[in-house]
Amino acid sequence: QVQLVESGGGLVQAGGSLRLSCAASGSFFSIKDMGWHRQAPGKQRELVATIHPGGPTNYADSVKGRFTISRDNAKNTIYLQMNNLKPEDTAVYYCNADVWDGSSWSDDYWGQGTRVTVSS
């Protein structure tokens, strides 16, 4: 079983910054891509950013140049540095991981979510 625990959300004014963290723990053999998704009220969950263990990253167009995803493989932890936040970034942010449990890969591991609220 794998647990993903997010932290770092909160309330910030537009133009401000927040840093989210997501740590993976439990019983697993390997983690491939990890990433952040978000879900705003009344909207579908959307991809924000992903990162491969070797470093390659992928970002949604809406956050390019403002958000930076990083990873500490030794700690099985990823981070999302969010700068120049906008009210439209308000959402619950979820961590996601692609995990090898010894028999198969599954990308259906999610954290409980951390809320980010950006006031105008």
Side-chain angles (χ1 to χ4, degrees), residues 2 26-32 76 99-105:
V2 179
S27 178
F28 56 90
F29 287 82
S30 182
I31 299 179
K32 199 160 52 177
N76 293 312
V99 178
W100 174 261
D101 64 4
S103 61
S104 63
W105 285 101

Side-chain angles (χ1 to χ4, degrees), residues 61-117:
D61 288 343
S62 59
V63 306
K64 282 180 182 177
R66 300 188 298 122
F67 290 11
T68 302
I69 189 170
S70 59
R71 180 168 182 158
D72 185 334
N73 291 323
K75 296 181 179 180
N76 293 312
T77 299
I78 61 170
Y79 308 92
L80 186 69
Q81 178 66 43
M82 305 185 293
N83 297 328
N84 190 23
L85 282 160
K86 303 176 180 181
E88 51 264 43
D89 295 317
T90 295
V92 178
Y93 285 70
Y94 296 93
C95 177
N96 170 253
D98 194 2
V99 178
W100 174 261
D101 64 4
S103 61
S104 63
W105 285 101
S106 172
D107 62 358
D108 199 24
Y109 290 96
W110 296 88
Q112 81 285 353
T114 185
R115 186 175 300 276
V116 172
T117 302

Side-chain angles (χ1 to χ4, degrees), residues 5-10 19-23 36 78 80 93 112-114:
V5 179
E6 303 107 332
S7 62
R19 188 188 193 217
L20 306 184
S21 300
C22 171
W36 294 95
I78 61 170
L80 186 69
Y93 285 70
Q112 81 285 353
T114 185

